[in-house]
Amino acid sequence: MSDEIAAFIEASVPDGWFSGSPSVEVDEEEILVVGVLPAGQGADAFRESSRQERMAIARQAEARFGRPVSWGVGHDGATTLFTTHNAPVMTRLRLRERAVLATLIEAGIARSRSEALAWCVKLVERHQADWLAELREALAGVEQVRVGGPSEI
């Protein structure tokens, strides 16, 4: 499904919007499209000038794939996200795990348990990016083996 979504987005994005094809990240909750702006174009100007077309593409994609589309751009070595989807996540934590979140709140790093947990996830993502990439590659290999396996009897 991710390949189908990426192909749809690439076919829908007008020529000249980005330097090359946009990156398309997909999960169960959201489609995130980030394109690199041509030199000399600012994020704010692009956001305003492309708003109507971006929203039309997003409506079509949401109707077709059942998830919202978020947009962002890369420019001057930085990434600016215009819209993102925040999905609630429920988890059960033991006392020591809750104590970590409480410490982050008491230290003023986070205002709530959910914000503290999001901070922890971002920290793991930042410091374990190579390991997470390796894990994702391994999962893709498992999926390929599943697809090539026997069909239902």
Side-chain angles (χ1 to χ4, degrees), residues 28-98:
E28 302 83 28
E29 307 285 337
E30 175 183 22
I31 301 166
L32 176 61
V33 180
V34 179
V36 176
L37 293 176
Q41 185 171 18
D44 291 336
F46 173 80
R47 183 179 189 181
E48 292 307 315
S49 68
S50 66
R51 182 182 307 274
Q52 295 302 317
E53 287 178 282
R54 284 186 299 106
M55 295 306 103
I57 293 167
R59 280 191 297 276
Q60 291 172 4
E62 186 168 355
R64 184 169 177 178
F65 302 112
R67 46 196 108 164
V69 177
S70 299
W71 295 89
V73 294
H75 61 96
D76 299 329
T79 300
T80 301
L81 299 179
F82 302 148
T83 54
T84 56
H85 176 75
N86 291 319
V89 177
M90 176 98 161
T91 188
R92 296 187 182 280
L93 300 175
R94 299 191 190 287
L95 180 88
R96 289 186 179 167
E97 296 160 340
R98 293 189 310 269

Side-chain angles (χ1 to χ4, degrees), residues 19 47 56 80 86 101 111 116 151:
S19 299
R47 183 179 189 181
T80 301
N86 291 319
L101 302 182
R111 293 179 302 220
S151 61

Side-chain angles (χ1 to χ4, degrees), residues 120-142:
C120 292
V121 170
K122 289 175 191 171
L123 188 67
V124 169
E125 178 187 34
R126 183 176 308 125
H127 293 289
Q128 298 299 323
D130 292 341
W131 179 78
L132 288 169
E134 187 178 330
L135 187 57
R136 288 183 184 111
E137 285 179 32
L139 290 171
V142 168

